Amino acid sequence: MAFVTDKTLFIHVQKTGGMSVREVLYRCNPVGHESGDAEGERHFGLPELRARHPGIESGRLSFGFVRHPVNWLVSRWAFAVTSGYPVHVQHRGTAAQVWMASCWSFSFEEFLEKYLERYPGIATQTMFQKLGMWSEKPVDRIGKTETLFEDLNRILDEAGEVRSAMPLMPPKRNATERRMENEAVVTKQMRQRIMDAEKQLCDRFGYD
């Protein structure tokens, strides 16, 4: 899913701070809009957007964010637990088609083992695909969730976006989701296994 303003095209990769970015983009003048139908374009990356909306990048600076793969997996699992993911799998067809359905477990340790067995490298695949990094023309700028507001300010300044005051801190997360993230313990050994599986992402963006 993408958010479009007169000067930028934001590619939203799940659990990389996209809602915080949207909060800032809604402060831009004039206010932008979603690229299309939320359900139909929920999992769209830059290549799919180009195909669906020819010329959508014209005159705009495209950008998105990446995140450390360990933290990304923790966040994906915690959000799934708190948002009732198993129910979505049963009642929403698109949810059952994604990798999470194959790896799902209420046990974080079991979830990670399934990920490593069935979808090692899915963080790299998700972020690289959505940001067009395996296409002839990737997004123009890529920031990191770990330095989200600094990177976002720099990108929007470069694009010439006029906006009202930026929030100083990211919005507070749901307390239940935060509790689940705290329960998602990653051992040193497991952390290394994940980083080995996501080596391309770690090497490209200097994650250690």
Side-chain angles (χ1 to χ4, degrees):
M1 194 69 178
F3 193 85
V4 186
T5 73
D6 283 354
K7 297 178 180 179
T8 62
L9 174 65
F10 168 56
I11 307 300
H12 187 165
V13 180
Q14 304 100 309
K15 310 314 293 179
T16 61
M19 298 310 296
S20 297
V21 174
R22 274 180 158 77
E23 180 183 344
V24 173
L25 292 177
Y26 275 115
R27 298 166 183 257
C28 292
N29 186 19
V31 175
H33 58 86
E34 301 292 342
S35 61
D37 173 67
E39 185 63 23
E41 297 189 4
R42 181 182 300 273
H43 300 295
F44 273 22
L46 184 56
E48 294 88 352
L49 285 165
R50 286 172 176 152
R52 176 69 66 87
H53 307 287
I56 192 170
E57 297 170 274
S58 179
R60 297 185 174 98
L61 186 74
S62 60
F63 72 98
F65 287 82
V66 296
R67 187 175 187 178
H68 193 292
V70 174
N71 297 334
W72 185 79
L73 286 164
V74 168
S75 186
R76 288 299 306 262
W77 177 81
F79 179 76
V81 171
T82 58
S83 62
Y85 183 74
V87 176
H88 292 306
V89 170
Q90 293 181 15
H91 300 287
R92 200 179 79 214
T94 55
Q97 297 171 17
V98 299
W99 67 275
M100 282 285 293
S102 177
C103 300
W104 173 249
S105 173
F106 278 108
S107 163
F108 181 63
E109 183 178 359
E110 183 177 348
F111 164 73
L112 288 182
E113 290 293 350
K114 288 182 177 180
Y115 143 75
L116 287 167
E117 176 187 353
R118 302 173 185 180
Y119 285 92
I122 192 63
T124 300
Q125 178 182 328
T126 299
M127 297 180 207
F128 278 38
Q129 189 278 329
K130 287 187 177 296
L131 299 178
M133 296 180 66
W134 287 327
S135 68
E136 292 184 1
K137 187 180 183 300
V139 292
D140 298 313
R141 301 290 182 268
I142 299 175
K144 292 182 176 182
T145 304
E146 294 78 11
T147 51
L148 189 143
F149 281 113
E150 297 92 330
D151 291 347
L152 182 57
N153 262 317
R154 172 177 49 79
I155 291 168
L156 295 183
D157 284 344
E158 180 181 352
E161 285 281 19
V162 177
R163 55 203 183 274
S164 59
M166 295 271 282
L168 297 178
M169 296 292 290
K172 291 183 179 180
R173 290 168 295 165
N174 176 279
T176 305
E177 184 178 344
R178 188 166 59 250
R179 176 174 59 81
M180 295 310 301
E181 288 187 2
N182 291 336
E183 292 182 8
V185 177
V186 181
T187 65
K188 184 177 180 180
Q189 181 183 23
M190 176 60 75
R191 182 182 179 87
Q192 188 59 55
R193 290 172 66 192
I194 293 171
M195 293 183 66
D196 289 344
E198 307 290 352
K199 187 176 187 302
Q200 190 174 4
L201 173 63
C202 293
D203 288 350
R204 173 65 176 79
F205 292 99
Y207 286 127
D208 53 25

